[in-house]
Amino acid sequence: MHLVELDAAKKPSSEAALDHFAFSIDNYDDVVRRLEAAGHRYEPTDVPNTPIRQIFIRDLNGVNIELNYRRPTE
């Protein structure tokens, strides 16, 4: 994967060939702290009936990034 920073997005992610990509994360709370400390906007959500918590962010080029955290099962 090659990411390049642009001055402005050419098109919103929802109108481009690439809508989003996803990563798995190991520490949900740490990611939220880091995003808040850096002043990044994000949208948290829980996937109903699953142990998955997600964080959606938009990069400087307008691409949506999905971060997935799987809660430990008891």
Side-chain angles (χ1 to χ4, degrees):
M1 178 186 315
H2 184 109
L3 302 176
V4 178
E5 183 177 343
L6 302 175
D7 291 332
K10 293 181 181 179
K11 289 186 174 183
S13 185
S14 60
E15 296 177 16
L18 173 66
D19 177 65
H20 76 282
F21 57 93
F23 292 106
S24 178
I25 59 174
D26 295 325
N27 190 321
Y28 183 91
D29 294 331
D30 184 52
V31 169
V32 167
R33 274 193 297 275
R34 292 171 67 186
L35 288 169
E36 290 177 352
H40 289 293
R41 292 177 42 186
Y42 65 95
E43 182 180 335
T45 188
D46 290 331
V47 179
N49 304 312
T50 73
I52 305 295
R53 296 182 82 186
Q54 297 177 312
I55 300 170
F56 291 93
I57 58 175
R58 187 178 300 268
D59 79 358
L60 297 174
N61 300 311
V63 175
N64 292 313
I65 302 170
E66 175 183 323
L67 304 175
N68 292 297
Y69 172 74
R70 180 177 293 274
R71 290 184 196 95
T73 55
E74 296 180 343

